[in-house]
Amino acid sequence: KSGLVERLAERAGLKTPNPVVHALDDVSLSVNNGEVVGIVGESGCGKSTLGRVVAGIIEPSEGDVLYHGKTWQDMSPQQAGHARLAVQMIFQDPSSSLNPRHRVDEIVGAAALRHDKTTRPDLQAYVAEQMRRAGLDPVMSRRFPHQFSGGQRQRIGIARALAVQPDMLICDESVASLDVSIQAQILNLFLDLRRELNLTYMFISHDLAVVEHISDRVAVMYLGRIVEEAAVADLFAHPAHPYTRALLQEIPRLDTTRRQYSAISGEIPSPLAPPSGCHFHPRCPFAMPRCAIERPKLREIGSAHRAACHLND
Ligand code: SF4
Ligand code: MG
């Protein structure tokens, strides 16, 4: 349910006959321990909402999030507290999530101290360890966020997340605002941390090159639904869904100049009124009459490869 979207629609004089906006619609996805699962799609496809639901920031109106097989409701308050801490988000803009009046050691250490991950006498050494892990020199721990570059600020955000000893990082466009050369450094940092700390990732990005670089498995989203899911090499070599194929036609390489993908004709329809049947049918070059009527199910089309398209029947 999205109150904000409704209010905006109201202000714009739009009628919303169905006040419930399904930001996510029948999404089912599992992430295994130590895995990097990429979530791709154009803006408005629900990928950020999915990340926030998994992180426990948004509660789904229906359905469950299971952490090690348990829903939030199944957990004791203590277990739920642990699970919430174990799943940390890394956002796009580190500046807006770092208090400008706090020094880096305070930013990195505060939650760790609050949740007994370290003690006051050990705090300085503990913060230094997190900073080193995130690729920052601990001698800078008494500086303020504005004294760092954008890439370094993102590293501060990562050090802060590591300080509470998470199992999983949900990265929502975490490198999108950085220069391309810095992006590669941060992506490689995520991969190093995964090896070092056995971290699991949900990696949300509109950028296919970034997702291809970092993921083991990828889910492609379109207007609130997962339309395809496969191992990364399989998805990029054998995309089965027409939407995925269209996205891939414009994939740039990570180290060359970026281009926005634009191979797909037509605008993304409003999530307020998604098209009937297959949401992609108004833009799909292969659309058949049944596509406007019948919703294609996400089903197995190969080994660990799922797609939601009537062409695969
Ligand atoms: Fe295109 Fe139909 Fe497949 Fe949707 S179900 S992607 S409209 S062919
Ligand atoms: Mg987003």
Side-chain angles (χ1 to χ4, degrees), residues 112-161:
L113 209 51
R114 197 163 60 244
H115 296 286
D116 298 324
K117 301 297 182 185
T118 185
T119 59
R120 220 167 256 289
D122 294 336
L123 184 61
Q124 210 187 334
Y126 188 81
V127 165
E129 187 191 356
Q130 312 316 317
M131 288 182 71
R132 239 178 266 117
R133 279 193 168 134
L136 291 165
D137 189 338
V139 300
M140 302 190 289
S141 69
R142 301 184 78 78
R143 296 192 192 166
F144 293 88
H146 75 267
Q147 296 174 285
F148 292 83
S149 68
Q152 285 175 323
R153 278 199 289 270
Q154 193 56 294
R155 289 178 191 271
I156 297 169
I158 293 166
R160 177 179 55 186

Side-chain angles (χ1 to χ4, degrees), residues 68-107:
H68 291 298
K70 280 189 168 175
T71 66
W72 297 109
Q73 291 83 356
D74 292 339
M75 295 179 202
S76 68
Q78 201 192 353
Q79 286 173 323
H82 171 74
R84 251 176 245 284
L85 218 52
V87 182
Q88 288 289 312
M89 278 208 76
I90 308 283
F91 293 101
Q92 171 170 358
D93 180 10
S95 313
S96 65
S97 68
L98 302 176
N99 189 326
R101 281 183 294 275
H102 288 177
R103 295 191 318 255
V104 172
D105 54 352
E106 296 167 327
I107 290 170

Side-chain angles (χ1 to χ4, degrees), residues 31 33 49-58 65-70 72 75 79-91 115 117 157 160-172 199-204:
V31 180
N33 218 358
T49 305
L50 178 60
R52 283 166 165 78
V53 166
V54 173
I57 297 170
I58 302 176
V65 178
L66 283 83
Y67 174 77
H68 291 298
K70 280 189 168 175
W72 297 109
M75 295 179 202
Q79 286 173 323
H82 171 74
R84 251 176 245 284
L85 218 52
V87 182
Q88 288 289 312
M89 278 208 76
I90 308 283
F91 293 101
H115 296 286
K117 301 297 182 185
R160 177 179 55 186
L162 295 179
V164 298
Q165 300 171 13
D167 296 341
M168 183 178 189
L169 296 184
I170 299 184
C171 301
D172 188 3
L199 289 177
T200 302
Y201 289 90
M202 185 178 251
F203 203 91
I204 299 163

Side-chain angles (χ1 to χ4, degrees), residues 222 275-285 287-288 291-293:
Y222 188 71
S276 58
C278 172
H279 285 347
F280 191 52
H281 83 259
R283 302 169 80 190
C284 181
M288 308 167 270
C291 297
I293 302 158

Side-chain angles (χ1 to χ4, degrees), residues 227 240-243 277-292 294-296 308-312:
V227 296
H241 195 283
Y243 177 64
C278 172
H279 285 347
F280 191 52
H281 83 259
R283 302 169 80 190
C284 181
F286 308 101
M288 308 167 270
R290 71 184 277 213
C291 297
E294 204 184 315
R295 172 188 183 155
C309 173
H310 294 310
L311 289 175
N312 298 308

